Every structure is written in C-alpha cells, then in structure tokens.
Amino acid sequence: MNSKTEPQASPKPRRPRWLALAAAVLVLVGGAYAALQQWRGPQVPAVQVQAQALVRSLQFSARVETNTRVGVGSTVVGRVESVAVNEGDAVQAGQLLLHLEQAELQAAAQQAQAGVLQAQAQLRNLRSTSRISSQAQVAQAQASLRQAQADWARNQQLVTQGFLSQAALDERRKALEVAQAQLQAAQAQAAASADGGAELKAAEAQVAQTQAASQAAQAKLAQARITAPRAGKVLRRAVEPGQIVQPGTVLLELALEGATLIVAQVDERFLDQLREGQSATVVADAFADQRLAARVMSIAPGVDAQRGSIEVKLALDAPPPAFLREDMTVSVLVETGAEPQAVVLPLEALQPQRDGSIQVLVLKEGKASAQPVQVGLRTLEAAHIAQGVQVGDVVLLPPARAGQRVRPQWTTHP
C-alpha cells in the first residue's frame, strides 16, 4: 500500500532583533524632535535689522504752464481789418497782432486837431489885437475923463460968477461921472486881456481842452493797432477779419516769455511731506526718456475745499526743451525726505499702541519680546527706526505675538 507524505510548511523567517531596535529608536527620536519643535514654537516671518539709504518720494501728475498768460483784446468798438498772427506763432514786444478799420477814428482825430488849431488862433488874437484894442479904449476913456474934469472945473467958476445956472452944472457933473465909469470899464477890459487876466485864462483853458480832446482821439486811433505787450507765443486765436469786436472780449491768448512752471494739484494728505526747495524730476509721457530736473517753487497757502487738494508749483532748473508745450501733462517725482544711512524696518513690523507709542517684536532667547521704538522718516514700505533697535537685531513680523516662542523664517528686507 502506497502511502502519501503531506508536504510541511516552511517556518517564517524571524526579523532581526537589531531592526526592531532601530525602528524603536527612530520613533523615539521623531517624537523627541516633534516635542522640541513644539517647544521652540511656530515659524514666523522675520527680518534682520540693516543700515541702508532710505529715500521717500511723492509722485503726482501736473501740467505745464508759463508764468504769465494774458488775454489780448480791443479797447474800442470796431471791425477787424486784418489778423497778423496764427496759433503757435512766436511774437516780439510791440509786434502787430491785429488791425481794426481806422477811417472813422482818423476823421475824429483830424476834427479834434482842427479844434486845437482854432483855439490856438483865438488865443493869439486875444494876446495881440484884443490887447491893443483894450489899451486904446483905456486911453480914449482917460482922455474923455480929462475933458469932463476940465468942463466941470470951468462950469463951477461960471456958476460962481453967475453966468451959468445950477442945472447946467449938474449936467457937467453927470458927464464927469460917466467918463469915470467908462475909464473903469476900459481898465477892467484891459486887465482881462492882459497876461493872467480872466479872458486870457479862458482862452488858454479852451486851448488845453481841445488839446486833450485831440490826444484822446489820437489814442483811440492808436488802439486800432493791437500789439503784443511782451515777447511770447500765441496760444489761441479767436478772431477773424471782418468780425465786429467789443471791449473786454479776448481775441488772442498769449503765453508771455518767462519761467516755465509745472503746476499740480496734490492731495492735501501729503502736505506734511512737501517743502519749498525740494528737488524733483519731471517726465513728459510722450518723451519718457528725457528727464527734467526741477524744484518746488511754491506751495499755495490755502486748500481747494472742493477737490481737497493744494496747488504746488515747480520751476525747471534749466531752460525748457522744445518739446515741452503749454498745458502738456507731465509726471512729477518729488524727493520729500532722505536718510543716507538709516536703521530700516518694513512698515508691517511696526505695532502702534493705544497711547500713541510704537513697538516692534524682537527675537530674544527664542521668544518674541516687545521693544518700544522711535520712528523717523517713513516711505510707503519702510521706516527709519531712530531709536530702539540696532543693526543685527532680529525683528519678527505678524503673526508673531509678544511672549510667544517662535522660530524665525527669513524674509526679504524692503
């Protein structure tokens, strides 16, 4: 009888004892490391305090303006005969800009001049003919008075002798009184015609009046020629030949020669950063590769209540280039503060307190320790720490909290 032998299962190999020990050690080490990391605290962003140059700047848009812009118009009513300039033309002081029709004004000037000549002739006549005539009248009145006096004396004797009646003597007395009155009138007339006399003064006043009228007519005639008050450039022309113009209407707008200004409306929030004399850079968008040096020239004393802005004017350090045009929009960068070697921290490291002070968290013996600081110049990203930390200190950023154990995770310094 055949017997079958059942196959026997082979025994499982045993794990080496050292391997189990190693696994146990790894578990213990991992647990210890985890416990150590937990004891050391979480990682938080941190920066190391450095000393570097810090520059604060303010950027805004502005427009190009000349120092003086004037509107030129007519001071008399008239029809425009010709316009001698166009927009963009350069003009010199006294150069003709436009011309009004002059026929009526010329006639008025000629008429006024004729009045002057007539008054002057009357004055000359008064000083010669009238004076001679007055003197002759005085001499005649004096002769008449002497005759009347002689008749009066003779008639008095005849009455005394009884040859004439008292009535005849009364007639002679009346004749004497008339002769005296005539002499006084002639003398008064002669005095009026003499230098300084009333009649002569009236004639001289008439001459002065007609001369003033003539000068006024000449001035109006001159106003028909409208000229440039100073050298400059024509910005706008609003008049054409044949147009009737009225006084007070702006016909041409000129930018007179002078300093070219950069004028901006800056948000009032940045007023504390601006000072007269600060250096700036001006760039026109169309000519971005050409930077122009400028300086803050003036800051308006008042704030525009509607826009909440303040007007700032800047002057270019050098004569303006040809591409810089009136009313062109430009970008301005003003350097409002600088520290050549400053202890600098990012703004997010600063922690304002309720009492107005500021503190930062400094890493000391593995813990976040609160440290009061004094802040100087600020930019949009960083601040100068004037007092409180030193170069080399490790400053923690949020979300670190005071008293917390933390580990620094280095971040890029601004």
Side-chain angles (χ1 to χ4, degrees):
M1 180 175 184
N2 295 330
S3 62
K4 295 183 179 179
T5 303
E6 295 290 335
Q8 295 182 356
S10 59
K12 293 182 179 179
R14 292 183 177 181
R15 182 177 297 176
R17 195 169 184 179
W18 64 267
L19 188 60
L21 291 174
V25 169
L26 288 174
V27 171
L28 290 175
V29 170
Y33 179 77
L36 177 63
Q37 293 295 90
Q38 186 175 4
W39 177 80
R40 291 175 61 192
Q43 282 190 317
V44 294
V47 295
Q48 191 170 30
V49 178
Q50 299 176 2
Q52 63 185 60
L54 184 65
V55 177
R56 182 181 64 189
S57 59
L58 183 62
Q59 188 169 7
F60 47 84
S61 295
R63 289 194 175 275
V64 179
E65 291 186 9
T66 53
N67 197 19
T68 306
R69 298 174 65 164
V70 297
V72 178
S74 174
T75 55
V76 296
V77 179
R79 185 189 301 274
V80 177
E81 184 175 293
S82 63
V83 182
V85 294
N86 293 308
E87 292 180 355
D89 288 352
V91 296
Q92 300 300 318
Q95 180 177 333
L96 178 66
L97 301 178
L98 62 92
H99 201 280
L100 303 181
E101 293 180 352
Q102 295 181 316
E104 184 176 351
L105 296 175
Q106 284 177 340
Q110 291 172 355
Q111 183 177 5
Q113 183 60 27
V116 172
L117 297 176
Q118 182 179 2
Q120 290 174 339
Q122 290 176 348
L123 178 60
R124 287 193 300 270
N125 181 65
L126 181 63
R127 284 175 172 171
S128 58
T129 307
S130 296
R131 182 179 300 176
I132 294 172
S133 175
S134 298
Q135 291 174 350
Q137 289 177 358
V138 170
Q140 182 178 359
Q142 288 174 340
S144 298
L145 178 59
R146 286 193 297 270
Q147 180 64 41
Q149 289 173 338
D151 290 344
W152 164 254
R154 185 174 59 255
N155 279 274
Q156 276 186 322
Q157 293 177 357
L158 292 176
V159 169
T160 302
Q161 296 172 0
F163 293 105
L164 286 177
S165 65
Q166 187 62 37
L169 183 61
D170 291 340
E171 290 295 330
R172 292 294 178 269
R173 186 179 65 254
K174 291 180 181 179
L176 177 60
E177 292 174 352
V178 170
Q180 289 174 338
Q182 288 177 343
L183 177 59
Q184 291 174 354
Q187 289 174 336
Q189 181 66 28
S193 301
D195 290 340
E199 190 174 349
L200 188 62
K201 286 183 177 180
E204 290 173 344
Q206 181 65 22
V207 171
Q209 183 178 356
T210 55
Q211 286 176 336
S214 178
Q215 291 173 355
Q218 291 292 338
K220 281 193 174 182
L221 179 61
Q223 290 168 8
R225 288 174 50 86
I226 300 176
T227 59
R230 277 187 9 218
K233 181 181 289 187
V234 179
L235 298 180
R236 186 171 65 92
R237 167 178 163 170
V239 62
E240 297 297 333
Q243 183 176 338
I244 303 295
V245 297
Q246 300 284 341
T249 302
V250 175
L251 307 177
L252 297 165
E253 187 175 8
L254 303 182
L256 303 183
E257 274 189 0
T260 297
L261 301 181
I262 309 299
V263 182
Q265 298 295 329
V266 181
D267 195 304
E268 61 180 321
R269 293 177 300 167
F270 305 113
L271 181 58
D272 64 327
Q273 299 184 26
L274 293 169
R275 300 287 185 276
E276 292 183 3
Q278 290 174 328
S279 60
T281 302
V282 177
V283 180
D285 296 339
F287 303 90
D289 58 335
Q290 301 191 47
R291 297 177 175 271
L292 307 176
R295 289 192 176 275
V296 176
M297 187 180 73
S298 66
I299 302 172
V303 176
D304 188 320
Q306 294 182 346
R307 292 187 288 186
S309 62
I310 189 164
E311 186 178 75
V312 178
K313 293 183 178 181
L314 301 97
L316 297 176
D317 291 347
F323 70 79
L324 209 61
R325 303 190 178 188
E326 191 78 7
D327 292 326
M328 177 182 282
T329 301
V330 295
S331 297
V332 178
L333 184 68
V334 180
E335 184 179 310
T336 59
E339 288 288 347
Q341 197 69 11
V343 175
V344 178
L345 284 178
L347 290 183
E348 57 184 321
L350 307 182
Q351 296 183 354
Q353 304 300 301
R354 291 184 178 179
D355 61 358
S357 63
I358 297 177
Q359 69 179 25
V360 298
L361 297 179
V362 180
L363 183 62
K364 293 183 178 180
E365 298 179 354
K367 289 185 178 181
S369 176
Q371 175 65 44
V373 294
Q374 291 184 4
V375 180
L377 181 67
R378 297 192 188 204
T379 69
L380 295 178
E381 298 179 346
H384 168 217
I385 307 303
Q387 194 173 15
V389 296
Q390 299 177 350
V391 175
D393 288 348
V394 177
V395 175
L396 306 172
L397 306 181
R401 300 187 304 275
Q404 181 186 20
R405 281 192 170 276
V406 294
R407 290 173 290 141
Q409 182 179 16
W410 303 109
T411 61
T412 303
H413 198 281

